[in-house]
Amino acid sequence: MTLRVDDLRVSTGGRRLVGPVGFTVEPGRPLVILGETGAGKSLIAQAVMGSLPRGLIASGAVSLDGARVDALPRGAREALWGRRIAILPQEPWRALDPLMRNLSQVAETHAEVAGQDWAQARTLARADLADLGLGAQAAAARPGQLSGGMAQRVAFAAATAAGARTLLADEPTKGLDDARRNDVARLLRRFVEGGGVLIAITHDIAVARALGGDVMILRDGEVLETGPSERILSDPQSDYGRALVEADPENWPFWTSTAAGAPVLAAEAITVGRGGRALLGGLTFALREGARIGVIGPSGLGKTSLLDTLAGLIEPMSGRLLRHGAGERPLAVQKLFQDPPAAFAPLATLAEQFRDLARRHGLVPQAIPALMQRLGLAPELLDRRPAQVSGGELQRLALARVLALRPAAILADEPTSRLDPVTQRNVMAVIGEAAEEAGAAVMLVTHNGALAQRWAGTVLDLARHAVAAEGVVVQTPERASAA
Amino acid sequence: MTTAMARAARWTIRPAAAQSLGGLILGRLIQALIVALVVGVVGFAMLESLPGDAAYRIAAGRYGHDMVSAAAAEQVRAELGLDRPSWVRLLAWVGHLLTFDLGQTAVTGERVVDAIAHQLGHSVLLAALAVGLALLIATPIGVMAGLNPGGLFDRITGVAAILLRATPAFLLGVVLILLIAVRMRAAPAAGHAHGASAFLPALTLGLVLASVLTRVIRNAVVRTVSSEAFQFARHKGLSTGAALWRHGARNAAAPVVAYLGVQTALLLEGVVVVESVFAWPGIGHALTHAVFERDVTMLQGTALALGLSFVLLSFLIDLACRAIDPRTRG
Amino acid sequence: MTAPGMTTGVGPITLGGMRPGRVIGLVGAGVIVALTITGPDLVGYDPARQNLRAVLAPPGTAGHLLGTDHLGRDMAARILGGAQLTLGLAALAVGTAAAFGVSLGMLAGWRGGWTDRLLGAFADGVLALPGLLLVMLLAAIRPDSWWTLYAGLSLTLWVEFFRVARQRARVLTAGEAVQAAELLGLGRWHIVRRHLWPDLAQQVLTLAAFGGATVVTALATLGFISVGLRPPTPEWGVMMSELLPSWRSAPWAIAAPILALATTVLCLRLIAGEETEA
């Protein structure tokens, strides 16, 4: 069983979007297509599957086990779906039917596609789910009641139940935190080791590293290089490949802390909670001038609530929050948000938004242009609305907005998790340098452990109740039980 | 984009807000109480604004015009304390209404309860026929338009729906009357085709309901078929038919049924208007008559019956939503 | 970067970012409003003046552009008089409803707590009865009263504005953009002006057009079934009910208010768009 693609191109209205792309994938050796958003990665999967949206045209050859499938009539092509070739969707919690129980979504593939009778189909589905570590409770639940990782496993079972041994996984880890990303990688790894043919499409180098096999680097629809994973990920030849690999937080240099200054914001045994429910308890630490603290932990632990508490947006449920020195000024604690476009007024131009800020706080007229120049931002950007500016630029604009108020502490909530790796690298570097110049403390919340380890001087792992070092005193934080 | 999201958010906020069954029942009971209060206050205000001695009018309302005597009026005066301040009388009046003693109509002296019981049958028949017709018209058209959005059929039915919806219900009724009259070469009796046939009024109301319902169904089908869930079902290997049946029908039905809840208001307004235009002897017709003739007891009875039907229908739709979409269960 | 050219060519054809339906509706409504403002003066007749020697005259007779009605009154003057009455009521009722609905909705959605609960309960109370029924009941207290209709229609209409404004204010003030603005100390006025209002403006226009159509329809409906304004007021619904008996001898007479009503409602609905998404 082999999947072979030759000279594949996808175009619309005469404009080429992807290609030419060619590769062969054998059982047991996956191909990882690596590239940033908008590089046309998903189009390759759709072209192989034969499910491109109307208006997009594919050319080239796609062969399954030596037989051309791209020229098949539509009905015959669709007959391969589920039986020979399957797709693992992005964000499976949206791809599963929200109204149907998980078991039925797997069982119906056995029944409707593989032709089993329904009783048998349900038995098989139950076994499939159990095999993936999903018990009777998860089987009886609906997708909305599952975590992202569990939903991905249900989708995997549903997609492959009719015997497809060729799997196209399209951004299978999108929106998942480190631990769940590793779960999905293990799931795919197991499929490959069982003799499956796998193409994984991702922007995450960690997924590529975990899966092994071959890697293809794609940019603007063009293949830059292809080769064994070990070689490409350690010694890429193309400029973009090098940038991509260097941008992987695993390859960042460690930040060496300069001497931390006086404390600006201190938490004394605070309990963080939202809506009357305690999330994190017994946290004691101090944010010092020029210090960086990285906060990691799985989703849903209360990382954002911790930042909101420090910013004064919600009250701590117990304990004290103290501001010292520069931290005592009003507006001394500022925040950077995860989704840059969501942090600006969407319908006003950036110029209007900065003008409001300057007027309100009596800033000197040159302050904003000077800051923008310092952060490498073109002045023309101001004429646009937030949606017309790239995520990386917008996050730097958000930083400029925050720096204009000379903050003592900057709380950054996953500021780069929506950015592609190269941009992430740049933005994190800019945040670090600018904060250092301004003498501001930074608390960075991230789901990426490697990034936190290298970018911040100190790491506070909320999951492991960890205690860390210089500039911070952390008492063992406990996961408070629901009040 | 923001508006589209806001719109989506608005539709989901009511039907999809998870609520316990107890909370749902309580909410609808409160709504019923508000209906009774509004009706009672309006009845009271009408009574106060009428000329003449209130005690006589109320006695006439309760016992019929022939039975009114000075003694009966005095009894009413004493019982309701008509010399008390108006807010006390208002409370007494509304309190009396809550005992469901609706009294007699000022015009014929018939007991209001009997009159309403008789009219209710006509109104239910009209409403059921209209809803049936609307579903019969809207479902196939909506589904066909939704399966091929942007196609010729979709565009033609879309324009037709807009034109139809822009025609007020009474106007549609008038136009239908005139068209039929021209066809039959028979003059409609003073414009009101006398309540012989249920067909024209039901068709009028059915078309009004269908005009919106068609597009609601069409949009629900479009959204369902273009959803990632539907696409994934196809990629699992399900045929289009199987995917539509197993994943399309129920997912598309959820917003449609939720929308029917919104449409109950349109249905009841339509019942009032269409019955009045066609002189269909139902509750809506009786209500307009009561308003016109300033018949307080009849007005209260009919308004209460319509208002409580509205509450009951809304509750039934709530239950249907819960049955279809388990996420709305608290 | 999101290339500005990416989205054009996808979706329905638009003119200056507007649906063609909305453009047609706006143009039509513009013409109707211009005619309305000029009013009966345009045709030089008093809509109330009877001339029993020229009843049900066909259009064009003796300077009567649209003919006369069963009492010899000039139809064109009556249509325009009706337009002033109808559109004036619509504008005032929708304006009142929008002003109260949007401001109270923003307040409720932003402040939350008891403000939200009280205002929300009031809105639910208004929704306890179908809107037209509520207006009818209020109209029953004082028949043939413009002010009662105005109050009743404003009362039923404000809820939609309130619900939308509250919902958006709730979402937006809990969102990151407003949180950021608060942390940056930008103040409430900035939040209303840059965040809440721009988000709501489009929907307020849509709801206002729907509201206008609702008022025009309700007024004519109530007039036609004799529970709204009454003769001799030149109101379109009243006129239809007066002219229906003579439809066979003078079909043009009843056609005039029918067309006036239908075009006005159609234009307003075209501006509003499909209500399944409103």
Side-chain angles (χ1 to χ4, degrees), chain C residues 72-87:
Chain C
R73 296 172 292 196
D74 181 69
M75 279 304 294
R78 287 183 69 72
I79 292 290
L80 290 172
Q84 288 190 326
L85 181 81
T86 305
L87 294 181

Side-chain angles (χ1 to χ4, degrees), chain A residues 18-362:
Chain A
V18 174
V21 176
F23 52 78
T24 304
V25 190
E26 303 277 349
R29 187 167 176 86
L31 172 71
V32 177
I33 301 178
L34 198 59
E36 61 195 35
T37 328
K41 298 178 307 224
S42 292
L43 293 180
I44 297 179
Q46 288 170 345
V48 169
M49 195 76 179
S51 63
L52 281 170
R54 252 181 239 179
L56 297 187
I57 297 156
S59 65
V62 178
S63 315
L64 212 52
D65 293 339
R68 284 281 292 269
V69 298
D70 55 277
L72 289 176
R74 197 170 167 81
R77 190 89 185 261
E78 289 179 2
L80 301 172
W81 294 357
R83 297 175 179 89
R84 302 277 302 280
I85 186 164
I87 200 161
L88 192 59
Q90 302 184 11
E91 304 182 274
W93 45 95
R94 286 168 48 167
L96 293 169
D97 185 336
L99 300 183
M100 190 182 272
R101 293 181 195 283
N102 296 318
L103 183 73
S104 307
Q105 310 212 30
V106 180
E108 69 175 6
T109 315
H110 283 296
E112 298 274 343
V113 187
Q116 306 281 352
D117 70 72
W118 271 94
Q120 179 68 8
R122 260 188 283 276
T123 311
L124 289 170
R126 212 165 279 127
D128 289 346
L129 290 174
D131 189 38
L132 296 170
L134 297 169
Q137 208 183 347
R142 293 187 175 80
Q145 295 160 304
L146 298 181
S147 72
M150 285 161 94
Q152 189 64 282
R153 280 181 268 166
V154 174
F156 174 81
T160 56
R165 299 305 291 156
T166 300
L167 184 66
L168 311 170
D170 187 3
E171 292 278 11
T173 60
K174 191 172 171 185
L176 299 180
D177 61 38
D178 271 10
R180 288 178 186 138
R181 179 191 69 197
N182 295 340
D183 284 348
V184 172
R186 259 195 298 279
L187 174 72
L188 295 177
R189 195 61 243 164
R190 216 175 68 143
F191 173 77
V192 170
E193 280 158 8
V197 171
L198 173 74
I199 299 182
I201 290 164
T202 182
H203 68 278
D204 190 345
I205 286 195
V207 174
R209 201 177 290 117
L211 288 177
D214 290 314
V215 168
M216 168 183 281
I217 294 182
L218 202 72
R219 191 184 200 194
D220 296 332
E222 236 165 296
V223 179
L224 298 181
E225 54 189 310
T226 312
S229 182
E230 316 81 69
R231 183 173 65 72
I232 298 279
L233 295 184
S234 59
D235 182 25
Q237 297 305 304
S238 64
D239 290 346
Y240 178 70
R242 264 196 300 279
L244 200 63
V245 169
E246 270 173 31
D248 180 17
E250 298 272 357
N251 298 330
W252 292 9
F254 280 86
W255 179 65
T256 42
S257 162
T258 48
V264 288
L265 182 64
E268 288 185 2
I270 57 164
T271 304
V272 172
R274 208 182 268 276
R277 204 171 76 90
L279 296 167
L280 297 163
L283 284 163
T284 297
F285 57 83
L287 276 170
R288 292 167 186 278
E289 283 174 13
R292 300 180 188 177
I293 302 180
V295 178
I296 56 172
S299 320
L301 203 63
K303 296 191 299 259
T304 298
S305 299
L306 171 62
L307 290 195
D308 286 352
T309 306
L310 296 179
L313 294 166
I314 50 179
E315 291 286 312
M317 295 180 72
S318 67
R320 288 201 302 170
L321 209 53
L322 298 170
R323 290 180 176 210
H324 304 287
E328 288 179 74
R329 291 198 314 265
L331 314 177
V333 179
Q334 288 296 331
K335 220 178 138 180
L336 291 176
F337 295 86
Q338 180 173 22
D339 189 16
F344 286 86
L347 298 172
T349 64
L350 290 160
E352 286 168 330
Q353 307 197 34
F354 275 101
R355 205 180 305 135
D356 282 1
L357 186 76
R359 283 213 190 113
R360 177 86 183 177
H361 299 299

